[in-house]
Amino acid sequence: MAARSQYEELTRQVSAVGVVKRAIARLLPAECPGGAAAVLALLDRHGDMRLSRLAELLAVDMSVTSRHVAHVVEQGWVERSPDPGDRRSRILRLTPAGREVLDDLKQRATDLLADRLREWPDDDVGQLVALLTRLRASFGDVRAAQHQPRPAPAVVAEPGPAAAPADDAADGRDEDGSTSGAHRQVPPQH
């Protein structure tokens, strides 16, 4: 187990990732706020679904989800069709226009990261991807297991040297950008 000081530094660094997320969010076009981008990303990743499932994945209530969906439907990026299993419900489906918007958002984010990390060796970029993937897997599906804290470790290693302060505070959003909408967020690529 790593020393407590390493976990403290990791906490600061993970919180500081907000600066990267905000830089990516600034790339979003005005017609595609963060909630809309999150809806497109989730429909792309998980396929057609009901509004209730989308709300669960976004980790926001149905009224917020409904507003996001109304926007993407109005833009022509998502369509609603009757659910064959329950005619009172609707199934949300990404349209070809929605896929184009999502592809554009992914390209913008990819270009930004490629530019900012252009001095990094390929092995370092690969290691970062592998470690972030592993970190995310250690937490499971954050949306499905929301508000279920993991138990604290039984043994805490001895503290090491003091860590430097973080550059930025946590912004409180999951990887899909779901929050109160204070910041816009581009969805991650998978």
Side-chain angles (χ1 to χ4, degrees):
M1 174 180 253
R4 182 167 182 83
S5 63
Q6 288 180 294
Y7 291 116
E8 290 169 353
E9 178 59 16
L10 179 59
T11 299
R12 284 188 279 277
Q13 293 304 322
V14 168
S15 294
V17 167
V19 73
V20 176
K21 290 171 68 173
R22 284 187 294 282
I24 292 171
R26 285 191 290 275
L27 298 172
L28 291 174
E31 69 274 8
C32 189
V39 167
L40 298 178
L42 288 170
L43 287 171
D44 181 56
R45 186 176 318 130
H46 297 279
D48 303 351
M49 68 183 77
R50 289 182 177 180
L51 184 69
S52 57
R53 175 66 176 144
L54 182 61
E56 178 185 315
L57 291 170
L58 286 170
V60 295
D61 73 33
M62 290 287 281
S63 65
V64 173
T65 304
S66 292
R67 285 192 299 273
H68 292 324
V69 168
H71 177 76
V72 296
V73 167
E74 182 180 298
Q75 297 292 322
W77 302 334
V78 169
E79 63 185 12
R80 294 181 207 160
S81 57
D83 182 345
D86 180 357
R87 292 283 181 193
R88 295 169 297 170
S89 296
R90 298 280 182 241
I91 296 293
L92 305 173
R93 178 174 294 112
L94 196 58
T95 65
R99 287 193 195 287
E100 285 180 27
V101 169
L102 187 58
D103 288 345
D104 177 58
L105 297 177
K106 288 178 181 179
Q107 188 63 51
R108 290 173 186 232
T110 299
D111 291 347
L112 175 68
L113 290 171
D115 178 62
R116 298 291 171 92
L117 304 181
R118 70 180 170 270
E119 304 291 326
W120 287 38
D122 290 349
D123 287 347
D124 287 358
V125 174
Q127 185 177 12
L128 178 62
V129 170
L131 290 173
L132 287 173
T133 301
R134 189 171 165 194
L135 175 66
R136 194 169 155 203
S138 294
F139 283 83
D141 185 348
V142 198
R143 292 166 302 276
Q146 196 173 34
H147 304 299
Q148 296 177 3
R150 292 180 70 128
V155 178
V156 177
E158 60 192 58
D167 296 329
D168 200 1
D171 62 5
R173 288 179 288 156
D174 68 34
E175 77 274 4
D176 294 313
S178 55
T179 60
S180 63
H183 299 285
R184 295 187 304 178
Q185 173 69 32
V186 71
Q189 297 180 29
H190 294 281

